[in-house]
Amino acid sequence: MLQSPHQPLQVAAVPAQRIPAREDDAGPWHSEAACRRDEAGLFFAPSKEPTAARLAREEAAKRVCGGCPVMIECREHALMQPEPYGVWGGLTAAERRVALARRRRRDIELTATTTAERIAAAG
């Protein structure tokens, strides 16, 4: 059942351990994240969420990510961990799986090209 546009989205709480822990001289990158100003549950699915509600919630989360000053750092964190749930760096879990698969294919292609170049140079 679709929610009325005037009703707030139902969201789930985010476990504290899901917050990235990387810090550098300027402090943790996530302290600058735009999502810190929003309800964290917007970025994570409640259990048994209907498809239409999930899509609306994910789009709302992506809009927040779109204006985030640390979106790239967040995305890289989610790809390197890998984070299995939620919207991170403007990507859903499914979109991150696709991005990781593309990276793996690119890395394999680069390795094959480099190996072929070495063989050709040696030969």
Side-chain angles (χ1 to χ4, degrees):
M1 181 165 114
L2 291 175
Q3 292 182 336
S4 159
H6 301 291
Q7 292 178 325
L9 292 173
Q10 293 178 346
V11 292
V14 178
Q17 69 269 23
R18 302 305 307 164
I19 296 173
R22 193 198 86 168
E23 295 193 22
D24 57 23
D25 293 338
W29 63 264
H30 52 84
S31 67
E32 300 298 320
C35 60
R36 292 291 223 191
R37 297 183 295 269
D38 292 293
E39 186 172 334
L42 179 65
F43 298 87
F44 294 88
S47 62
K48 299 180 183 177
E49 181 179 34
T51 301
R54 176 183 54 81
L55 293 172
R57 180 187 47 74
E58 288 173 346
E59 280 305 310
K62 288 179 178 188
R63 283 192 299 275
V64 172
C65 293
C68 183
V70 294
M71 183 177 78
I72 300 301
E73 292 88 338
C74 180
R75 182 177 292 177
E76 284 305 310
H77 163 81
L79 291 169
M80 297 306 291
Q81 284 305 310
E83 291 291 350
Y85 306 106
V87 174
W88 290 78
L91 298 177
T92 64
E95 292 166 337
R96 289 192 304 277
R97 285 190 295 273
V98 169
L100 285 170
R102 285 181 181 155
R103 279 189 181 183
R104 281 191 292 273
R105 280 194 305 273
R106 184 195 68 217
D107 291 347
I108 290 168
E109 289 170 3
L110 289 173
T111 301
T113 300
T114 304
T115 302
E117 288 171 352
R118 286 186 195 153
I119 291 170

